Amino acid sequence: MISQCKHSAIALLLAAFSIHEVADAFAPSLQSRVPFLASTPLAAEGLAPATTKERPTAEKTEGDGESSIDVDMTAAEAKTALIELIPRMTGQAEEYRAVESYVNMLEENYSPVQTIDFLNLAVSGEWQLLFSTNLMGRANKRMRLTELIQKIDASGFRGNITNSAEWMYAEEGETFDAYGKFSVQCSYTINQGARMVVDLDGHELRPTSGSKFPEDVPKLVGYLNRAIPNEIFDPSGHATDTTYLDADLRIVRMTGPKHEGVRDIFMRKGCLEINPN
């Protein structure tokens, strides 16, 4: 069930975190099916709409099966189905194929933004990560992520991105007595199409007032590195194409030597509340 404009959206980043079985057609993880080509331009000037329509071609393998979605559904119905499916995912291959189908349907019906002013207006603000095809690790029982937000501050053809994760950590025993925020600070330029070429500026680990200060900070950062999708933790060396964007949903595709083809799905913070029950 989806209700509009609630104050807080449920963090769905970990919906598929401990799941290893991913549909091959939609799993461009560390060994992407789509190779990075050295000639792929990350820094061509201009606001050309063609790039935002790019996405990898899924190659079905024997035994992949087909998703059971209604091919006659509208883009609006595909969006609703997508954001209702994500919190209920249990790791079944057909669920990932359904996500792939919904995303492809939204992308195929998306008209790219034509002006930089409208693009900046549309992407600015806080976005909550719902789903990443790059979550292939296993959650550590000592680490919990309660929220992962991407904040975009846009200005002309440049801007800043801050990825912030709220964390809880049980360094000893089972008590989560250390907690705080981990931030990844980035800058970007808009180049080809709506493509954001991202540079990593730094990381910040800030315990919340009242939190126990972890004795082994590098170990904590290592757990965070495993829990956060790598394109969010270390976005250096890649660019982001916006393949779908509306008032409250944003789908992006990574291009670059490390994360080619990875998809992230974001929902505007505070705009939707999803009840996974």
Side-chain angles (χ1 to χ4, degrees), residues 121-270:
L121 179 65
V123 302
S124 292
E126 294 184 316
W127 297 87
Q128 188 162 4
L129 181 65
L130 300 186
F131 184 89
S132 173
T133 60
N134 206 24
L135 272 178
M136 301 300 289
R138 182 175 294 276
N140 189 285
K141 63 181 182 181
R142 296 185 179 276
M143 168 63 61
R144 293 177 181 171
L145 292 186
T146 58
E147 190 173 63
L148 204 161
I149 298 295
Q150 183 173 91
K151 181 180 180 181
I152 300 178
D153 294 309
S155 178
F157 286 90
R158 298 180 181 274
N160 296 297
I161 296 174
T162 302
N163 300 318
S164 299
E166 300 281 349
W167 54 269
M168 300 175 63
Y169 179 48
E171 189 167 28
E172 298 179 358
E174 299 181 354
T175 302
F176 289 83
D177 51 5
Y179 39 88
K181 178 181 289 187
F182 180 76
S183 299
V184 184
Q185 297 156 347
C186 315
S187 55
Y188 72 87
T189 56
I190 294 287
N191 292 309
Q192 185 182 14
R195 176 171 291 179
M196 294 179 174
V197 180
V198 183
D199 291 314
L200 174 64
D201 295 334
H203 296 93
E204 180 182 75
L205 181 67
R206 185 182 295 274
T208 302
S209 177
S211 166
K212 175 184 175 182
F213 194 86
E215 294 182 6
D216 191 342
V217 174
K219 188 174 183 179
L220 169 60
V221 173
Y223 285 145
L224 286 165
N225 193 5
R226 290 179 58 189
I228 299 172
N230 193 248
E231 75 277 7
I232 300 292
F233 186 93
D234 181 12
S236 59
H238 79 259
T240 298
D241 289 333
T242 300
T243 56
Y244 179 84
L245 177 64
D246 65 19
D248 48 46
L249 186 70
R250 181 167 63 99
I251 302 173
V252 299
R253 174 183 179 269
M254 309 302 160
T255 184
K258 294 189 295 183
H259 308 302
E260 180 72 20
V262 167
R263 297 295 220 306
D264 286 343
I265 302 175
F266 294 90
M267 185 166 59
R268 189 174 293 280
K269 184 180 179 182

